Amino acid sequence: MKSSKFTDRISGAVGELEVRLTRPGDLSSSENAARRWVVLSHPHPQFGGTMDNKVVATLEKAFQGLGYGTLAYNFRGVGASEGEYDGGEGEQMDLVAVVNWLRDQEDVNELVLAGFSFGSYITLQQAEALQADALCTVAPPVSMYDFTGLSPTMPWVLIQGGQDEVIDSHEVLQWAMSRESVPDIFWRAQASHFFHRQLVWLKNVVTAVY
């Protein structure tokens, strides 16, 4: 399937945000334009996280292969995005700005919010307010942030590596299993936080589920 990809800057709460949007299909025909979209949030800005992260890129390609349009973006202060890191509060507003922009620009019938690590936290915080249709979270940092009040009601996939050297993987599992609506959990015992040598497995999970 041919796709159209471009990088642009959009207006955020504290300045411009860098985004990468990919539309699937032949853009000469509006009937082929994407109606299913995924917005992808990257890992922690202060530890090298960007929209070019390999896990984010793997999720992006997996969803594109399924015919979804994808929108990855850099949080404030990352890459060409303006502003400074805001401890997870301002970053939630970045996600809101990106989703609102996408809905203004495209025909969005179905919205999936996907996030890796810190991006999972941001995604889970805003999932209900943004009325997401589904969630995909990879290695949510439950040992680093307060996740106690987060319990999504929409369909939700959680992907976790058993050898996570950044986040306590068993704490992730315990938290997920205690939610009112337990997510579909995919566990890779030998996978590290960044899924080194396990990215093909990660892509296959997304392809199988969505």
Side-chain angles (χ1 to χ4, degrees):
M1 177 182 291
K2 294 181 179 179
S3 63
S4 174
K5 177 171 69 175
F6 70 89
T7 301
D8 200 358
R9 298 184 187 185
I10 68 169
S11 295
V14 294
E16 292 187 333
L17 296 172
E18 184 179 19
V19 301
R20 178 174 63 237
L21 181 143
T22 304
R23 298 187 187 95
D26 178 4
L27 295 183
S28 65
S29 174
S30 60
E31 66 183 9
N32 289 329
R35 297 171 67 82
R36 299 189 301 168
W37 285 88
V38 181
V39 174
L40 303 114
S41 298
H42 67 72
H44 206 294
Q46 293 194 313
F47 298 97
T50 77
M51 67 179 179
D52 295 322
N53 171 269
K54 289 183 178 180
V55 171
V56 173
T58 297
L59 296 173
E60 190 177 24
K61 291 176 182 176
F63 278 107
Q64 288 168 5
L66 294 169
Y68 283 78
T70 61
L71 180 58
Y73 67 103
N74 278 328
F75 288 122
R76 58 186 63 194
V78 177
S81 291
E82 298 176 336
E84 298 179 351
Y85 172 66
D86 192 37
E89 294 296 326
E91 286 76 13
Q92 293 179 47
M93 296 304 98
D94 295 341
L95 174 57
V96 171
V98 167
V99 170
N100 287 342
W101 177 84
L102 177 65
R103 284 172 164 155
D104 285 342
Q105 298 295 315
E106 305 290 339
D107 183 10
V108 181
N109 255 17
E110 177 186 335
L111 175 67
V112 178
L113 295 181
F116 169 44
S117 195
F118 175 80
S120 287
Y121 172 69
I122 301 302
T123 291
L124 288 163
Q125 284 282 2
Q126 290 297 320
E128 300 288 347
L130 290 173
Q131 299 182 319
D133 296 293
L135 302 178
C136 179
T137 58
V138 180
V142 300
S143 54
M144 297 180 177
Y145 296 91
D146 184 6
F147 276 66
T148 53
L150 299 178
S151 187
T153 58
M154 65 282 295
W156 171 26
V157 169
L158 190 155
I159 304 172
Q160 179 63 48
Q163 299 297 319
D164 197 319
E165 71 282 17
V166 176
I167 296 161
D168 187 333
S169 57
H170 293 286
E171 189 172 342
V172 173
L173 184 61
Q174 182 179 28
W175 170 77
M177 293 298 293
S178 69
R179 299 303 89 192
E180 184 173 348
S181 297
V182 177
D184 293 327
I185 300 171
F186 292 84
W187 181 275
R188 188 66 161 177
Q190 62 268 47
S192 66
H193 185 69
F194 294 99
F195 288 81
H196 297 305
R197 296 186 294 278
Q198 300 296 329
L199 292 174
V200 172
W201 174 83
L202 177 63
K203 183 178 181 180
N204 288 341
V205 168
V206 173
T207 300
V209 173
Y210 293 93

